[in-house]
């Protein structure tokens, strides 16, 4: 196993990769100006108007010139041409004779399938036309026309608009300008059908429309230039990014032959986002994005607007435990050894074991969507056999407390004989990873499923598919990240430049409007309206230290009301059995109702999580670094150095327009007495590229074999379960039986005849 970083010197057989890029595009004159430059200067050349004698013996520099000449001749005479034969020297394999024929030459052969039956064919366009031009190469290397036939057995096109419909004359897509534009649009993530519309909107009326097939051909031709060099292109991409992003992290695990096994990367801003919003991480491995079938595995989180953000991405060889351990270890090293407080993943044993080893203190939660999908598959026999099982199971899963959950389990196990259901027994043994009663003390930022990762996958579906090359994918990944960040910046501006609309004049709501971001305040506002308009309570107990309430809506059964305790301490202390604040970070309507009832005049600061405010993105302080957890007396952690540097950068940014401030900043912060001894900074404190042991020279190559995983091939839909894939049996509306329809019911006609006689 070998690992290396972007600073490694890479050896490849051929580094010359041809690209055509268009930097600036003028939509009005881009195609027209370049096409005019490609036209033949002398358009009034002799094209054979005087007979065959003027064409036979005509000299051409290259076969391409002969093709251009005959194609222009065909355009003036109303037909199209194509390349027919090329005769090559058996010794040198160089062409010495070529033939260009009318596009209606010959007849289309009928192809038969394996059974010998001719396939259905499209309308035959060929008529056996004999018109042709043959050129040969002389001993001096000059090409000349030695045979010409201008006899056609079909009608010729008489108008220029009809002549342009012939394929040989619709050469807009072959021009350098059009190719460059197509490649530019393709690299921006547009599909061939979208590229076609964009190019056709910019062409002149005289040019033939570009087709989606032509766009696909141009893009495929460009991709063929990267064949065998995709991995090199990926490495080169990250090397170029390192020149502008000092904090980028990139690591590759290699096979002995130099092909990639696993790849992980994260840019500087993603690493910075993790320091602020890395309390909850969603990890999912169910998406194919490249022709080598390496599953894409994003690390996803939620920002202060409740939006999905990317912490990093990985391309993996397989989905084994050792692979996930390698990935999580480098993710942890990339993120300054800061463990997430919670992770949400699929119910995968390999992922679970890797989390236990690398993140032993992280709470692991299974995706609720997967759990519900498995319920449909495994509980079907029990639901069919017991009429009340579905209700009992729902009540058991939604138990408010651990004690209630365990009690309901004992009742269900004895009543429904669950010992024979292996799946439900296994789920009970793993109850700490999915049951709400066991997860009420864990912050999940409002997430219960891996749907955040699924939304990232859906976003990628517009740009990548199972045939995307490795070097193309990392470019599209950056585009996805930039798109997400642009949306985040838009929400920042909306929050900064607007004031919330309050539903009341109470200072609690006013303070929430000042602190929370726009989206988060909307969530709080819904809870506040419910608390002030629709709730009531009953007092359960009261003492000098604590008072307990049962809070709920009047028109709802009290069995569904929530228990809220209010403690008389130096600061407001309210707790609800729904645990919304503990899991979401926003006070629930039940707690807000009690706080308002107790005449609390402001929203306590400890109930406003900084991650839901603008301070999370735009302010830094030592309180968010967690120095008591990550630093020691002799060493300073990489995360602390990251925050210190960020604060210095912000101070310089604020003082750059004021010489006096810069001078004061230098005097107070930078000009200090040098230490007597060497600084004791750990090796892992580098916040730039990962520092790994690596070979000085590594020869790299593309993967040889396709990865065999359980990821998704092309679309954004999850892999369907066996229940979803099973064919729905036919149901008879007459007898309610399975396997036939009412029209095929055998004794229906007899029954109807008997009813008519009666």
């Amino acid at each position: 196993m070998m690992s290396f970083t972007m600073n490694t010197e890479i050896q490849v057989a051929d580094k010359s990769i041809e690209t055509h890029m268009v930097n600036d595009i003028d939509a009005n004159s881009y195609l027209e100006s370049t096409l005019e430059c490609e036209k033949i200067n002398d358009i009034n050349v002799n094209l054979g108007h005087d007979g065959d004698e003027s064409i036979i013996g005509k000299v051409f520099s290259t076969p391409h010139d002969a093709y251009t000449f005959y194609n222009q001749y065909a355009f003036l005479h109303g037909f199209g041409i194509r390349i027919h034969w090329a005769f090559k020297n058996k010794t040198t394999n160089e062409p010495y004779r070529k033939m260009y024929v009318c596009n209606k030459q010959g007849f289309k052969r009928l192809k038969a399938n394996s059974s010998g039956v001719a396939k259905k064919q499209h309308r035959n366009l060929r008529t056996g036309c004999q018109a042709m031009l043959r050129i040969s190469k002389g001993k001096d290397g000059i090409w000349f026309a030695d045979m010409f036939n201008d006899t056609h057995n079909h009608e010729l096109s008489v108008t220029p608009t009809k002549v342009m419909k012939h394929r040989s004359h619709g050469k807009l897509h072959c021009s350098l300008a059009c190719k460059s534009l197509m490649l530019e649009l393709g690299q921006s993530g547009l599909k061939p059908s979208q590229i076609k519309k964009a190019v056709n909107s910019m062409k002149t009326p005289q040019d033939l429309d570009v087709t989606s097939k032509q766009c696909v051909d141009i893009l495929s031709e460009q991709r063929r230039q990267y064949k065998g060099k995709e991995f090199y292109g990926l490495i080169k991409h990250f090397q170029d990014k390192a020149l502008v992003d000092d904090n980028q992290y990139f690591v590759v695990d290699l096979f002995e032959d130099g092909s990639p096994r696993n790849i992980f990367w994260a840019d500087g801003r993603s690493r910075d986002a993790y320091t602020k919003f890395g309390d909850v991480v969603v990890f999912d491995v169910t998406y194919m994005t490249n022709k080598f079938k390496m599953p894409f595995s994003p690390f996803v989180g939620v920002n202060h607007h409740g939006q999905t953000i990317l912490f990093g991405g990985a391309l993996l060889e397989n989905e084994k435990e050792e692979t996930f351990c390698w990935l999580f270890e480098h993710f942890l090293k990339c993120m300054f050894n800061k463990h997430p407080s919670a992770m949400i993943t699929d119910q995968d044993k390999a992922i679970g074991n890797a989390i236990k080893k690398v993140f032993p203190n992280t709470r692991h939660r299974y995706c609720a969507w997967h759990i519900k999908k498995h319920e449909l598959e495994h509980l079907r026999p029990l639901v069919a056999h017991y009429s009340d099982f579905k209700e009992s199971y729902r009540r058991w899963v939604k138990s408010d407390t651990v004690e209630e959950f365990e009690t309901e389990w004992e009742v269900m196990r004895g009543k429904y004989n669950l010992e024979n259901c292996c799946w439900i027994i296994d789920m009970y043994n793993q109850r700490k990873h999915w049951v709400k009663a066991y997860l009420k003390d864990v912050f999940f930022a409002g997430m219960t499923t891996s749907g955040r990762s699924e939304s990232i996958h859906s976003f990628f579906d517009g740009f990548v598919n199972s045939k995307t090359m490795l070097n193309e994918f990392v470019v599209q990944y950056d585009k996805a990240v930039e798109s997400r960040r642009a949306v985040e910046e838009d929400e920042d501006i909306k929050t900064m430049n607007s004031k919330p609309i309050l539903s009341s004049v109470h200072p609690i709501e006013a303070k929430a409007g000042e602190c929370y971001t726009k989206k988060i305040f909307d969530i709080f506002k819904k809870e506040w309206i419910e608390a002030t308009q629709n709730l009531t309570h009953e007092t359960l107990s009261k003492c000098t230290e604590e008072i307990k309430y049962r809070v709920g809506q009047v028109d709802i059964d009290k069995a569904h009301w929530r228990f809220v305790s209010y403690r008389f301490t130096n600061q407001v202390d309210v707790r609800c059995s729904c645990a919304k604040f503990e899991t979401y970070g926003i006070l629930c309507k039940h707690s807000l109702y009690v706080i308002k009832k107790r005449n609390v005049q402001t929203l306590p600061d400890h109930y406003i999580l900084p991650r839901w405010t603008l301070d999370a993105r735009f302010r830094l302080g030592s309180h968010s670094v967690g120095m008591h957890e990550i630093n020691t007396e002799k060493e300073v952690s990489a995360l602390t150095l990251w925050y210190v540097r960020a604060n210095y950068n912000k101070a310089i940014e604020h003082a750059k327009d004021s010489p006096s401030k810069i001078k004061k900043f230098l005097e107070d912060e930078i000009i200090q007495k040098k230490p007597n001894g060497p600084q004791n900074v750990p090796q892992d404190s580098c916040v730039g590229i990962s520092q790994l042991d690596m070979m000085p020279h590594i020869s790299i190559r593309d993967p040889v074999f396709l990865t065999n995983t359980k990821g998704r091939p092309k679309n954004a839909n999850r892999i369907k379960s066996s229940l979803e894939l099973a064919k729905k049996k036919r149901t008879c509306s007459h007898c309610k039986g399975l396997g036939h329809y009412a029209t095929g019911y055998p004794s229906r006609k007899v029954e109807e005849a008997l009813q008519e006689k009666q």
Side-chain angles (χ1 to χ4, degrees):
M1 179 183 296
M2 298 183 291
S3 298
F4 71 94
T5 64
M6 292 185 297
N7 290 336
T8 306
E9 182 179 351
I10 303 165
Q11 299 174 347
V12 290
D14 183 11
K15 297 183 182 179
S16 61
I17 301 176
E18 182 182 354
T19 57
H20 299 288
M21 299 295 295
V22 178
N23 296 325
D24 297 312
I25 298 175
D26 183 356
N28 295 323
S29 61
Y30 181 84
L31 294 177
E32 297 176 352
S33 60
T34 310
L35 287 175
E36 288 296 329
C37 295
E38 293 182 354
K39 288 183 178 180
I40 297 177
N41 295 328
D42 187 10
I43 196 62
N44 295 319
V45 295
N46 185 1
L47 295 176
H49 295 286
D50 297 333
D52 298 351
E53 294 78 6
S54 62
I55 294 181
I56 295 178
K58 190 172 180 63
V59 177
F60 306 99
S61 301
T62 63
H64 177 71
D65 292 342
Y67 177 87
T68 302
F69 167 81
Y70 192 43
N71 195 37
Q72 285 192 340
Y73 177 91
F75 179 79
L76 294 178
H77 289 76
F79 65 97
I81 68 170
R82 72 173 191 273
I83 301 175
H84 186 47
W85 289 112
F87 301 90
K88 296 183 179 180
N89 189 304
K90 295 182 179 180
T91 304
T92 62
N93 200 32
E94 292 183 358
Y96 65 88
R97 180 172 294 164
K98 287 193 174 186
M99 290 183 61
Y100 307 106
V101 299
C102 174
N103 58 5
K104 292 185 177 293
Q105 180 272 342
F107 297 95
K108 195 169 186 178
R109 291 179 295 179
L110 295 179
K111 297 180 180 180
N113 54 26
S114 57
S115 61
V117 180
K119 295 181 179 179
K120 183 179 179 181
Q121 299 291 327
H122 296 288
R123 292 172 62 90
N124 195 355
L125 302 178
R126 300 187 183 182
T127 63
C129 181
Q130 298 296 321
M132 51 82 69
L133 172 67
R134 191 180 75 178
I135 62 172
S136 298
K137 188 176 183 181
K139 294 181 179 180
D140 54 357
I142 301 298
W143 293 85
F144 62 94
D146 62 349
M147 185 178 293
F148 176 70
N149 187 346
D150 198 25
T151 304
H152 297 268
N153 64 352
H154 56 87
E155 293 183 0
L156 301 179
S157 303
V158 294
T159 60
T161 55
K162 291 183 179 180
V163 176
M164 287 297 296
K165 298 297 182 181
H166 291 286
R167 182 173 296 181
S168 64
H169 303 308
K171 290 298 182 181
L172 173 64
H173 67 286
C174 295
S175 64
L176 178 61
C178 189
K179 283 185 177 180
S180 300
L181 179 58
M182 288 182 181
L183 295 175
E184 183 86 2
L185 297 176
Q187 291 172 358
S188 66
L190 295 184
K191 299 178 181 178
S193 59
Q194 297 170 323
I195 296 175
K196 176 195 70 174
K197 294 179 181 178
V199 173
N200 289 337
S201 66
M202 300 168 63
K203 71 176 185 63
T204 60
Q206 293 77 18
D207 293 318
L208 197 63
D209 284 352
V210 171
T211 65
S212 298
K213 178 64 167 57
Q214 292 170 342
C215 296
V216 172
D217 292 341
I218 296 298
L219 297 178
S220 299
E221 180 183 355
Q222 177 71 8
R223 289 170 179 170
R224 280 194 294 269
Q225 299 180 19
Y226 285 94
K227 189 175 182 180
K229 307 172 187 176
E230 295 181 38
F231 186 37
Y232 168 76
L234 180 145
I235 300 294
K236 187 67 169 60
H237 171 79
F238 287 117
Q239 286 180 332
D240 294 340
K241 282 194 65 177
L243 299 177
V244 296
D245 185 1
D246 296 334
N247 300 311
Q248 180 173 265
Y249 187 102
F250 170 61
V251 63
V252 175
D253 183 21
L254 294 176
F255 287 104
E256 295 297 332
D257 62 355
S259 60
R261 177 185 282 123
N262 304 301
I263 308 169
F264 169 72
W265 69 93
D267 63 8
R269 184 163 173 179
S270 294
R271 300 174 74 192
D272 180 69
Y274 181 83
T275 62
K276 303 174 176 65
F277 310 113
D279 41 14
V280 186
V281 174
V282 179
F283 180 74
D284 192 20
V285 193
T286 55
Y287 192 61
M288 294 295 183
T289 58
N290 54 84
K291 68 178 185 180
F292 296 113
K293 295 187 177 180
M294 297 179 71
F296 171 54
S297 310
F299 291 89
V300 178
V302 177
N303 65 7
H304 51 311
H305 298 292
Q307 299 169 329
T308 302
I309 55 176
L310 280 160
F311 295 137
L315 294 171
L316 304 178
E317 174 206 6
N318 54 47
E319 299 173 64
K320 297 181 180 180
E321 181 179 334
E322 55 268 24
T323 300
F324 291 125
C325 286
W326 177 92
L327 177 60
F328 292 159
E329 286 171 359
H330 284 287
F331 176 80
L332 188 60
K333 187 172 184 177
C334 171
M335 301 305 175
F336 322 102
N337 291 319
K338 180 181 179 181
H339 294 241
S341 61
M343 285 190 72
I344 302 175
T345 72
D346 189 4
Q347 188 180 353
D348 186 271
K349 186 176 181 180
I351 296 178
N353 292 337
I355 290 177
K356 289 179 182 178
K357 292 180 180 179
V358 183
F359 306 119
N361 299 323
T362 297
R363 294 293 294 273
H364 181 202
R365 179 169 190 163
Y366 294 153
C367 170
W369 187 92
H370 287 86
I371 300 296
K372 292 180 180 179
K373 184 188 73 170
H374 295 155
E375 288 175 358
L376 294 174
E377 298 177 17
H378 296 283
L379 299 182
R380 196 174 188 179
L382 291 171
V383 173
H385 191 268
Y386 301 101
S387 59
D388 60 340
F389 176 80
K390 188 174 182 179
E391 179 62 26
S392 300
Y393 178 82
R394 188 190 64 82
R395 186 170 58 251
W396 172 59
V397 171
K398 293 188 176 183
S399 300
D400 276 341
T401 63
V402 174
E403 294 77 12
E404 183 181 346
F405 179 84
E406 296 294 343
T407 302
E408 289 288 341
W409 167 250
E410 294 298 332
V411 173
M412 286 180 56
R413 186 171 62 173
K415 182 177 180 180
Y416 303 112
N417 192 22
L418 299 181
E419 301 297 337
N420 297 327
C421 183
C422 299
W423 179 82
I424 199 170
I425 294 295
D426 184 55
M427 292 304 298
Y428 173 76
N429 295 332
Q430 302 180 62
R431 57 192 179 278
K432 293 184 179 180
H433 297 295
W434 64 279
V435 177
K436 290 178 63 177
Y438 286 91
L439 298 170
K440 283 190 171 183
D441 60 335
V442 187
F443 178 75
F444 289 106
M447 296 183 293
T448 59
T449 72
S450 59
R452 294 282 177 173
S453 184
E454 286 297 298
S455 67
I456 291 293
H457 290 163
S458 299
F459 180 85
F460 273 101
D461 280 320
F463 301 96
V464 297
N465 52 49
S466 60
K467 296 182 180 179
T468 301
M469 306 177 77
L470 290 179
N471 55 303
E472 287 182 346
F473 172 73
V474 291
V475 175
Q476 299 305 329
Y477 173 89
D478 289 343
K479 293 182 184 297
V481 172
E482 291 301 323
S483 175
R484 295 282 169 171
R485 290 170 181 170
V487 175
E488 177 183 330
E489 292 170 358
D490 290 342
E491 284 298 322
D492 287 339
I493 295 299
K494 290 179 181 179
T495 301
M496 293 176 180
N497 296 336
S498 62
K499 293 183 178 180
I501 299 177
L502 306 180
S503 63
S504 65
V505 294
H506 202 284
I508 288 181
E509 186 184 13
K511 184 174 182 180
E514 295 175 358
C515 298
Y516 287 133
T517 59
K518 179 176 176 292
K519 293 288 185 181
I520 301 303
F521 175 71
D522 290 341
I523 299 174
F524 176 89
K525 184 177 178 180
K526 291 181 180 179
E527 298 292 326
W528 176 255
I529 292 175
E530 287 287 327
T532 55
Q533 298 180 5
N534 300 327
L535 298 185
T536 186
H537 76 282
E538 63 179 21
T539 304
L540 300 179
S541 63
K542 187 176 183 180
C543 62
T544 56
E545 297 180 353
E546 182 183 37
I547 182 170
K548 293 184 178 180
Y549 301 95
R550 177 183 284 178
V551 181
Q553 291 182 252
V554 180
D555 56 344
I556 294 180
D557 189 358
K558 290 185 178 181
H560 301 291
W561 287 19
R562 298 294 183 176
F563 297 97
V564 182
S565 63
Y566 183 90
R567 296 184 180 182
F568 300 99
T569 58
N570 294 332
Q571 62 180 8
V572 176
D573 187 358
V574 59
R575 299 182 183 180
C576 180
S577 61
C578 74
K580 182 164 187 175
F581 178 76
E582 289 77 7
T583 59
Y584 205 147
I586 300 175
L587 282 175
C588 64
K589 56 187 176 183
H590 316 100
S591 299
L592 291 173
Y593 174 85
V594 172
I595 288 177
K596 183 175 180 296
K597 184 182 185 319
R598 301 301 307 176
N599 295 321
V600 177
Q601 294 302 312
T602 185
L603 187 62
D605 292 337
H606 58 277
Y607 285 122
I608 301 177
L609 294 189
R611 76 162 342 270
W612 295 133
T613 68
L614 284 177
D615 293 350
R617 174 61 74 185
F618 294 99
R619 294 184 185 177
L620 291 170
S622 60
H623 67 279
S624 61
V625 179
M627 292 186 175
H628 63 284
E629 298 177 355
I630 58 180
N631 298 326
T632 63
E633 295 180 358
K634 298 181 179 180
E635 295 182 347
V636 179
S637 73
L639 183 59
T640 302
L641 294 178
W642 178 280
Y643 274 107
V644 171
R645 184 174 63 176
N647 277 313
Y648 271 82
N649 291 338
K650 285 185 176 293
I652 294 173
E653 183 69 21
H654 290 312
K656 66 180 181 180
D657 297 329
S658 175
S660 59
K661 290 183 179 180
I662 287 288
K663 182 178 179 181
K664 185 177 185 303
F665 177 77
L666 292 174
E667 293 174 351
D668 297 343
E669 302 292 342
I670 297 180
I671 303 177
Q672 299 178 359
K673 183 179 179 180
K674 295 184 178 180
N676 297 326
Q679 296 181 356
N680 189 4
V681 180
Q683 182 180 1
D684 292 340
S685 65
C686 176
V687 295
I689 306 169
S690 108
Q691 303 297 307
L692 302 173
D693 295 334
M694 56 190 180
M695 299 173 62
H697 299 281
I698 297 177
S699 179
I700 62 173
R701 57 179 294 182
D702 287 348
V704 180
F705 304 104
L706 299 181
T707 304
N708 185 17
T709 66
K710 58 185 179 182
R712 297 180 292 176
K714 291 184 179 180
N715 50 40
N717 298 323
R718 283 192 168 273
I719 301 174
K720 292 185 178 181
S721 64
S722 57
L723 180 64
E724 296 169 313
L725 292 175
K727 292 184 178 180
K728 186 177 180 181
K729 293 185 177 180
R730 294 177 293 180
T731 304
C732 177
S733 60
H734 183 73
C735 68
K736 307 302 180 183
L738 299 178
H740 64 275
Y741 292 126
T743 54
Y745 183 59
S747 59
R748 180 183 178 184
K749 294 183 179 180
V750 178
E751 293 178 358
E752 291 177 351
L754 292 175
Q755 291 177 358
E756 290 178 358
K757 290 181 178 180
Q758 293 177 357

